Amino acid sequence: MDTYFFGLDVGTQGARAVLVDKLGNIVGSESVKFDLDEKFREEQSPAIWWRDCTAIMTKILAELPQAIDRKAIRAISVTSTSGTVIPLDRNNLPLHDAIMYSDGRSVKQGERCMQAAKEVVQHGYTGFNSSSGISKMLWYVENYPEKVKDIALWIHASDYIVGKLSGHYHVTDYTNVLKSGYDLNALEWPAYIVDVLGMKPEWLQKVVPSGTVIGKLSEDLATAWQLPRIDVVVGMTDGCATQMASGAVNPGEWNTTIGTTLVIKGVTRSQVIDPLGRLYSHRHPEGHWMPGGASNTGADWISLDFQADFQELTEQAATLIPTGLLAWPLKHNGERYPIMAPQARGFEPEAVSRELLFAANLEGVAFIERLAYEIIEELSGEKVTAVFTAGGGSNSQVWLRIRSAVLKVPIFKCKEATGALGAAIMAASYSYYGSLQEAASKMTHKEMQVFPDMELADSYEGQYQQFKYKLKQLGYI
């Protein structure tokens, strides 16, 4: 008899649930868009999340193939946004709607949190801002003083769904607490959270490694869904879950997701401390570290400027590389990683064809990616051995070829690199498999493998050095 696992991804605008077998094959999948108002980037109703998540779970179970035995479903886990927090009362009911990671009202509180952390934290995360959970907690306490007496617990977005599934709200995982101020080195809530920022100790959750089984599915849900009381596994942030689904779970392995922006996450044996705050490190459930950073450079330039003839341009780009040109398709003012330059502006070559500009932009993103990995290697003292890739930008074969040659490492594209699959892998990692690494190795499947074309790599070396020199000339590095 096979074994199955649920993964649930609660995003900014909707949710997706998958049911997968022990090898990661999807046997059921449903998604839903939330019914949101114009303030959804500031606050959202957790009740809507739960209503819609139960609806898609119910639909998957109602449409299960007859060959699948519900008794073989083993566990469920949840992923959601990083930095989204909810205050609960003593009955585990929200005192307020979820305060979203994208809510910018806590800028001043973020500055104070950063200052308080920098005064006492020697080796750890201090880059708090308005997107951080601890900043939002402080903002709420200061803006709703009449509610403070009713706060029993602060939780994160995925914790709410885990709590509704299991009845356990007081436990969270390593990835969710990074931006809430938890010390991932000492594995404790640091004193300044209470002594300086004024949080109460009883408001703070117990923290366990990602993948920990924290309870069983409630009797009511088990009855309604005609399931055994399956294991409920502590949640995880969405970026880390996508990294799990990409297959990058061992030291030296990294994941680059190219969507609107470029997000890099990987695994190192030692913690990466970046004095400039471009990188931050999550704690791996098996003792390693998971550094990551996000660039404003990505693939948005394609949808903005090249969408109409994208396929034709992609085919032509294969015949035009290496272009020898310098382009940086940064569509927004300022960059945050791999360079910290709020004054940064993109650039492109003058008087070239649309086809050449497109190909040069592909190369420019690859150069930014390489610079990011060079900084990682410098700070960690460890080598990048492989890059797993996800996001819309990973679907272009010519772009994969460019990136592999620029990075000089193999690039692997996994078949299903989504947060929902990452949550399912976490659900399986200790409830069925012996480790996260074992679960990921069994449940992820490489759809494409691209190895460096060394002749092309040699050509790109000089072009990349010219790219770095131009960034220096412009004062960005």
Side-chain angles (χ1 to χ4, degrees):
M1 182 174 67
D2 212 331
T3 307
Y4 303 93
F5 307 91
F6 269 115
L8 188 54
D9 180 8
V10 181
T12 304
Q13 299 187 52
R16 183 183 181 216
V18 296
L19 181 66
V20 305
D21 66 18
K22 63 185 179 184
L23 297 180
N25 299 304
I26 294 177
V27 297
S29 175
E30 286 293 339
S31 61
V32 63
K33 285 194 172 182
F34 298 140
D35 182 16
L36 301 171
D37 60 27
E38 69 279 0
K39 296 182 179 179
F40 77 94
R41 293 199 178 277
E42 293 182 352
E43 297 180 2
Q44 291 187 22
S45 167
I48 290 177
W49 299 349
W50 179 240
R51 180 198 68 193
D52 289 353
C53 286
T54 55
I56 58 178
M57 291 280 293
T58 299
K59 189 172 182 182
I60 288 175
L61 289 165
E63 298 176 356
L64 276 184
Q66 289 186 345
I68 296 178
D69 184 353
R70 293 185 184 217
K71 294 179 182 178
I73 298 175
R74 177 69 69 90
I76 183 171
S77 190
V78 186
T79 181
S80 192
T81 53
S82 172
T84 299
V85 293
I86 308 165
L88 298 185
D89 67 14
R90 288 164 183 80
N91 295 313
N92 295 320
L93 297 175
L95 283 167
H96 193 89
D97 279 346
I99 307 171
M100 299 298 291
Y101 69 95
S102 47
D103 177 13
R105 293 175 292 180
S106 56
V107 171
K108 292 182 179 179
Q109 288 79 10
E111 292 172 353
R112 284 159 49 201
C113 291
M114 176 187 286
Q115 183 60 40
K118 284 186 173 180
E119 290 178 2
V120 296
V121 175
Q122 299 297 316
H123 302 289
Y125 183 72
T126 59
F128 301 111
N129 53 39
S130 63
S131 69
S132 303
I134 187 62
S135 309
K136 298 176 190 305
M137 296 178 200
L138 186 58
W139 174 87
Y140 181 80
V141 166
E142 293 177 350
N143 282 271
Y144 293 89
E146 73 281 4
K147 296 283 189 74
V148 171
K149 68 181 186 307
D150 297 320
I151 300 173
L153 186 68
W154 278 100
I155 67 170
H156 309 86
S158 63
D159 302 328
Y160 179 76
I161 304 299
V162 166
K164 295 293 286 185
L165 290 166
S166 67
H168 296 287
Y169 294 87
H170 284 74
V171 181
T172 192
D173 81 300
Y174 288 163
T175 67
N176 270 300
V177 291
L178 174 73
K179 295 182 180 178
S180 292
Y182 187 78
D183 187 333
L184 290 171
N185 286 288
L187 297 181
E188 64 184 15
W189 290 100
Y192 80 87
I193 298 288
V194 174
D195 298 341
V196 179
L197 300 181
M199 298 295 109
K200 295 183 179 180
E202 60 267 27
W203 292 352
L204 307 174
Q205 294 169 289
K206 177 183 177 182
V207 184
V208 299
S210 307
T212 300
V213 176
I214 64 165
K216 297 287 186 180
L217 186 67
S218 72
E219 289 187 12
D220 288 347
L221 287 172
T223 300
W225 286 337
Q226 299 177 4
L227 291 175
R229 296 194 64 193
I230 63 176
D231 289 334
V232 178
V233 175
V234 71
M236 190 179 224
T237 59
D238 48 7
C240 290
T242 301
Q243 177 185 338
M244 302 301 104
S246 78
V249 298
N250 299 298
E253 297 175 345
W254 290 79
N255 166 243
T256 299
T257 298
I258 302 181
T260 300
T261 60
L262 184 151
V263 179
I264 288 176
K265 291 181 178 292
V267 184
T268 55
R269 290 180 174 83
S270 58
Q271 185 181 17
V272 176
I273 304 295
D274 183 3
L276 300 182
R278 297 160 298 181
L279 287 166
Y280 53 87
S281 288
H282 285 289
R283 192 172 183 119
H284 193 287
E286 289 157 8
H288 307 306
W289 292 87
M290 299 189 297
S295 169
N296 291 336
T297 307
D300 55 346
W301 58 273
I302 294 176
S303 58
L304 291 171
D305 301 330
F306 295 93
Q307 190 63 53
D309 49 352
F310 169 72
Q311 192 57 47
E312 180 182 348
L313 290 168
T314 299
E315 293 172 2
Q316 292 174 333
T319 67
L320 298 173
I321 59 171
T323 67
L325 302 171
L326 301 181
W328 182 16
L330 178 66
K331 302 303 291 186
H332 305 278
N333 295 336
E335 182 58 287
R336 52 186 168 153
Y337 179 67
I339 57 178
M340 187 73 76
Q343 79 280 19
R345 303 292 183 271
F347 51 79
E348 61 183 43
E350 297 180 358
V352 299
S353 68
R354 180 175 172 81
E355 294 80 8
L356 268 174
L357 178 58
F358 178 82
N361 280 347
L362 295 177
E363 294 170 336
V365 176
F367 294 154
I368 286 293
E369 184 180 10
R370 173 164 166 183
L371 181 58
Y373 281 122
E374 284 185 353
I375 290 169
I376 286 165
E377 290 186 336
E378 178 182 347
L379 291 173
S380 69
E382 301 178 27
K383 283 292 184 183
V384 174
T385 60
V387 170
F388 294 75
T389 193
S394 67
N395 295 323
S396 168
Q397 291 192 29
V398 66
W399 208 354
L400 291 173
R401 183 171 175 237
I402 291 169
R403 291 169 56 203
S404 182
V406 170
L407 298 175
K408 299 181 182 178
V409 297
I411 293 181
F412 304 115
K413 179 178 182 292
C414 282
K415 184 178 180 180
E416 177 77 15
T418 64
L421 176 61
I425 291 171
M426 294 308 302
S429 58
Y430 298 99
S431 68
Y432 180 79
Y433 290 107
S435 68
L436 169 59
Q437 293 171 338
E438 182 185 7
S441 68
K442 298 289 187 181
M443 299 175 73
T444 58
H445 307 282
K446 297 183 181 72
E447 185 177 62
M448 191 182 305
Q449 304 180 56
V450 180
F451 293 89
D453 177 332
M454 296 315 297
E455 184 177 342
L456 186 61
D458 290 342
S459 298
Y460 275 137
E461 186 59 37
Q463 190 176 337
Y464 171 66
Q465 296 303 330
Q466 291 174 8
F467 181 85
K468 282 179 65 176
Y469 182 68
K470 185 172 182 69
L471 293 179
K472 290 178 182 177
Q473 283 184 312
L474 293 169
Y476 300 158
I477 59 175

